[in-house]
Amino acid sequence: MKEYKVAVIAGDGIGPEVLAEGVKILNKVSELSGDFKFQFTYFPWGCQYYLKNGKMMDEDGLEKLKAFDAIYLGAVGYPGVPDHISLCDLLLKIRKGFDQYVNIRPVQLLDGAPCPLKDITREQIDMLVIRENSEGEYAGAGDWLFKGKPEEVVLQTGVFSRKGTERIIRYAYEEARKTGRTLTSISKGNALIYSMVFWDQVFAEVGKEYPDVKTYSYLVDAASMFFVKDPGRFQVVVTSNLFGDILTDLGAAISGGMGLAAGANVNPERKYPSMFEPIHGSAPDIAGKGIANPLASIWSVSQMLDFFGHEDWGSKVLKAIEQVMVEKKALTPDMDGQAKTNEVGDEVVTVLSKMYKAK
Ligand code: NAD
Ligand code: IPM
Ligand code: MN
């Protein structure tokens, strides 16, 4: 029987709480399918690890992770450790170190998901945001000159390489072609006169190879407005690292909230493991209370199943999430329920088992 090796980095705050539920689902899926199973290896990395050991992960952490088929990550960052250290030395280190240059974030209104927008149907919020995940505004290039002096200067340079820009845009065109959907590029060429003018140029250039794909191009400020006023305009979306970060929190807000939004950090060449995570953070305001919504981390499990080629199970998990939200028997307070994190996970397991009997 095929066994997938999954590295689990639960991380900080609500990370471990929500990840436990995703692991539960994977184990259930393996039992129901009877065709494959999972072997989980837990890594204790995160802010507590940093406070004890002075580092966010082992020095040879990437080396250790290399052998896995996938990484399942909770959340990183907690008060007490500066965010620029915790995130740079763990989450971003993995994304960059493993060249996970595609960040796939579905913004899709599932059945039963709460939506703050008026008169919206499920079909009107159904996009796939493809975020550049390896460079751009997150390249980490810059300087801090004359620190603490009156003449202090800081520089944060966006890095948009030809290779990095082309490959993400090409990935998005391929996705749009494969699924017969439109492709929208979101940029800001009217103000970022090097990086985003270049981005727009590459979008047009690569587009010549995809005459069958209908394209649109929006400035990020207008796009944000349309995410709220008319999200039906967007199908496949491609955008830069920072814009993608911001737009997908907005996307989460219109399609069920932070507790439901998932993301896959993918190295398409499969030279390195890809990483699956809820897109939310460690939520210090609710950590330890057992009320974090685990559905985002469960959705990311569905993305992992897709990635392993078990799309049938990926969509079954998604269907189970939908049914749990439609039935409203066990939902956490962010979805106006009163259930605990583990009760929601248990309910997804129950629904999955009812929907699909074991072989
Ligand atoms: P956050 O996503 O942790 O929280 C924002 C708001 O959403 C909070 O009110 C929180 O309670 C709520 N929320 C988030 N996830 C939820 C869930 N599953 N169920 C119910 N409510 C949920 O963002 P933040 O407060 O800006 O960041 C907190 C920390 O997490 C910071 O250190 C930040 O850098 C880090 N962070 C990490 C990641 C990651 O690891 N992928 C992502 C975002 C932020
Ligand atoms: C996300 C997060 C990260 C990002 C942070 C924590 C570095 O917000 O995954 O959306 O900006 O990519
Ligand atoms: Mn984010």
Side-chain angles (χ1 to χ4, degrees):
M1 188 191 296
K2 174 79 192 159
E3 183 174 71
Y4 297 106
K5 289 193 283 210
V6 178
V8 182
I9 305 172
D12 306 311
I14 62 169
E17 302 172 33
V18 295
L19 236 60
E21 305 312 309
V23 167
K24 234 186 230 175
I25 305 307
L26 283 175
N27 282 329
K28 191 69 200 179
V29 165
S30 126
E31 185 194 316
L32 290 170
S33 87
D35 294 334
F36 53 88
K37 58 182 182 179
F38 299 93
Q39 187 198 84
F40 299 102
T41 305
Y42 288 78
F43 292 90
W45 302 331
C47 288
Q48 277 173 11
Y49 189 83
Y50 178 88
L51 292 173
K52 227 189 287 161
N53 304 289
K55 52 192 176 195
M56 288 298 294
M57 74 191 304
D58 295 343
E59 253 102 59
D60 62 347
L62 289 184
E63 216 35 62
K64 286 190 171 124
L65 291 174
K66 240 186 191 157
F68 288 86
D69 295 309
I71 302 164
Y72 188 34
L73 182 128
V76 180
Y78 214 70
V81 180
D83 267 355
H84 67 276
I85 294 177
S86 56
L87 275 313
C88 258
D89 291 357
L90 187 50
L91 177 71
L92 297 179
K93 194 168 166 181
I94 298 171
R95 284 183 187 164
K96 286 181 191 168
F98 285 162
D99 207 18
Q100 296 166 344
Y101 62 88
V102 184
N103 194 187
I104 303 172
R105 297 188 162 185
V107 174
Q108 193 182 335
L109 188 63
L110 299 183
D111 268 349
C115 178
L117 306 182
K118 199 164 49 128
D119 303 328
I120 267 293
T121 63
R122 170 191 170 124
E123 292 70 36
Q124 286 169 300
I125 305 182
D126 188 4
M127 41 178 135
L128 191 70
V129 178
I130 295 175
R131 167 191 181 193
E132 203 294 318
N133 212 31
S134 65
E135 52 168 40
E137 307 88 341
Y138 281 43
D143 212 337
W144 197 316
L145 304 167
F146 314 113
K147 204 167 187 173
K149 305 221 173 83
E151 63 272 33
E152 194 165 32
V153 175
V154 298
L155 304 168
Q156 184 89 46
T157 307
V159 175
F160 289 75
S161 66
R162 156 93 34 201
K163 177 182 167 194
T165 308
E166 264 189 31
R167 66 183 181 178
I168 192 67
I169 286 176
R170 194 174 296 283
Y171 186 96
Y173 271 108
E174 286 291 333
E175 176 65 29
R177 168 177 280 173
K178 204 170 70 196
T179 54
R181 284 181 292 173
T182 65
L183 176 63
T184 300
S185 161
I186 299 180
S187 61
K188 186 68 186 170
N190 57 355
L192 304 181
I193 58 171
Y194 302 108
S195 58
M196 292 293 163
V197 172
F198 175 67
W199 175 283
D200 290 345
Q201 184 189 310
V202 173
F203 184 67
E205 272 172 26
V206 175
K208 293 207 181 92
E209 296 167 39
Y210 298 85
D212 50 314
V213 175
K214 174 119 187 76
T215 62
Y216 299 92
S217 208
Y218 286 97
L219 294 162
V220 67
D221 44 355
S224 311
M225 178 273 294
F226 284 128
F227 259 50
V228 174
K229 299 283 279 184
D230 188 13
R233 285 171 188 247
F234 303 96
Q235 295 184 357
V236 180
V237 169
V238 64
T239 191
S240 71
N241 211 332
L242 178 63
F243 293 171
D245 175 45
I246 299 168
L247 285 169
T248 51
D249 264 31
L250 180 55
I254 60 167
S255 60
M258 294 309 291
L260 187 56
N265 305 272
V266 173
N267 172 249
E269 291 75 26
R270 302 200 178 208
K271 187 169 168 204
Y272 304 103
S274 292
M275 179 163 68
F276 302 82
E277 53 166 347
I279 79 163
H280 62 69
S282 60
D285 53 342
I286 57 165
K289 297 184 177 157
I291 54 163
N293 190 340
L295 293 178
S297 73
I298 294 175
W299 192 336
S300 63
V301 151
S302 146
Q303 289 189 299
M304 192 192 295
L305 287 162
D306 289 349
F307 179 78
F308 285 151
H310 302 296
E311 288 92 349
D312 49 341
W313 283 103
S315 60
K316 285 171 187 175
V317 169
L318 215 49
K319 288 231 164 65
I321 293 176
E322 287 190 304
Q323 191 165 325
V324 168
M325 291 192 300
V326 169
E327 285 176 359
K328 297 191 188 334
K329 272 202 293 199
L331 293 174
T332 43
D334 58 304
M335 289 192 166
D336 289 333
Q338 288 171 350
K340 295 281 186 191
T341 307
N342 63 319
E343 292 169 342
V344 178
D346 290 345
E347 186 61 20
V348 178
V349 164
T350 306
V351 167
L352 255 181
S353 315
K354 270 194 210 147
M355 285 167 105
Y356 311 99
K357 288 215 173 66
K359 267 188 186 170

